[in-house]
Amino acid sequence: MGIQKNIAILPGDGIGPEVMAQGLKTLKAIEDKFGHNFKTKEAMIGGIAIDKTGNPLPEETLEISLDADAVLLGAIGSPKYADPTLKVRPEQGLLGLRKALGLYANIRPVKAYDKLIGLSPIKNERIQGADFVIYRELTGGIYFGESGRNKDNSEAFDTMFYKKNEIKRIAHAAFKTAMNRRKELCLVDKANVLESSRFWRETVDEISKEYPQVELYHLYVDNAAMQLILNPKRFDVILTANLFGDILSDEASVIAGSLGLLPSASIGKRRCLFEPVHGSFPEGAGKDIANPAAMILSVAMMFEHFDMLQEARTIHAAIETCMEKSVMTTDLNPEVAYSCSQFGDIVESLILGEELNLKSLKESSYSII
Ligand code: IPM
Ligand code: MN
């Protein structure tokens, strides 16, 4: 008997719908191969939702997301609403959804694919074998603290605010993952300056007593930003606050070769959401050139979360085969670029075990024998 799941599909803005279409092909292929039954419901979020309803997170989208076993999200952000002084902005949709679903732990794995290390601007020997995961706190900190301006608009402030419980729950999640990996955990903060960081250290130090096998160490965020490039192999599990995690995960994408390769999982007590780390890349929208790997790998993370490990492994194997056979989109290999939809078709075929006759976009379209 196959497994049933209800999945909310939020394609969002820019390249979101294009990468989501490939994510859906992957979902369908897994459904067919393993005999599962996935019901999908699509809803609007971000700029497109503002266009249609005036609200970046319409009530219906929230309801569909709250009802689902998992949410898949494409990307959010639109040049039309890029002016940061606007009252209603696409990003509010994503932040509101994360908060409403209680998605406090954002998990961003980073690894250097052997086939891609030559493409990185970082010296190959530094990144070969790098494989770590960032645990970013997602529903607190400076993203959600009090903010504002004074009356004559000569002052502005944001507040980095954390409750002990907000730190504890993500710390437990990170320690549990560390137990299944190299048993090392690096807490990244700015405890030499910020009180909230000293609070993180104190709290995480306390929790570490429950995980005596895990070696906990601390790095200041400025130093961590440098170490990530100098010696990424030293990292295994990184635990950090919302803003620091946002910045470090974009930086870490240079190690993987492209932001188009990084998936993420956002987990709460009862709900979960899976989305690529990359943004909406409006310049690439509608051109069928985006890299859908991050979206497809986010689908794999969903299966891991459901404990459907064989399904997740099947997707990872398909992506690895793509890399080995140089099936890559233009961000990774402009010489023999495959289109976004071709990449999705090839992943689908690999999952279903069909034979491939690979021809890149530049040669003519590929065909399945
Ligand atoms: C991310 C994005 C978001 C964030 C934006 C779009 C609000 O950069 O998911 O990393 O800052 O969290
Ligand atoms: Mn970001």
Side-chain angles (χ1 to χ4, degrees), residues 76 91 94-95 98 108 136 138 143 242 246 275 277:
I76 269 182
E91 289 76 9
L94 180 57
L95 298 177
R98 287 174 179 168
R108 299 186 159 182
R136 168 191 174 193
L138 201 62
Y143 271 58
N242 204 341
D246 178 48
E275 60 171 320
V277 171

Side-chain angles (χ1 to χ4, degrees), residues 63-216:
E63 265 167 37
I64 289 176
S65 303
L66 284 165
D67 279 350
D69 295 309
V71 179
L72 292 177
L73 189 138
I76 269 182
S78 143
K80 204 166 144 189
Y81 304 106
D83 176 357
T85 63
L86 285 175
K87 282 263 173 306
V88 180
R89 310 192 60 235
E91 289 76 9
Q92 293 160 344
L94 180 57
L95 298 177
L97 185 66
R98 287 174 179 168
K99 194 73 177 176
L101 299 185
L103 307 172
Y104 62 84
N106 182 223
I107 305 162
R108 299 186 159 182
V110 179
K111 87 172 190 186
Y113 287 93
D114 280 345
K115 190 70 199 244
L116 297 181
I117 53 171
L119 301 172
S120 175
I122 305 174
K123 281 207 183 90
N124 296 357
E125 63 271 20
R126 287 196 202 271
I127 57 171
Q128 188 160 29
D131 180 350
F132 58 90
V133 53
I134 301 175
Y135 270 70
R136 168 191 174 193
E137 199 290 325
L138 201 62
T139 50
I142 200 163
Y143 271 58
F144 293 95
E146 207 188 313
S147 66
R149 306 222 183 169
N150 67 342
K151 280 216 176 69
D152 70 4
N153 205 24
S154 61
E155 292 170 13
F157 68 98
D158 294 284
T159 318
M160 193 167 316
F161 175 87
Y162 270 110
K163 291 184 186 154
K164 196 164 180 118
N165 271 338
E166 291 176 326
I167 303 170
K168 278 167 88 173
R169 59 189 182 182
I170 186 161
H172 279 295
F175 272 109
K176 282 185 185 135
T177 294
M179 289 291 289
N180 292 325
R181 295 179 52 111
R182 271 166 31 197
K183 299 193 170 55
E184 292 166 28
L185 189 126
C186 177
L187 173 63
V188 171
D189 60 33
K190 189 70 186 171
N192 50 346
V193 178
L194 303 176
E195 193 55 37
S196 60
S197 283
R198 287 190 278 273
F199 190 46
W200 267 78
R201 271 201 194 195
E202 197 180 295
T203 308
V204 174
D205 283 352
E206 269 168 40
I207 290 173
S208 74
K209 298 199 182 90
E210 294 175 42
Y211 304 89
Q213 304 96 316
V214 177
E215 189 203 326
L216 170 69

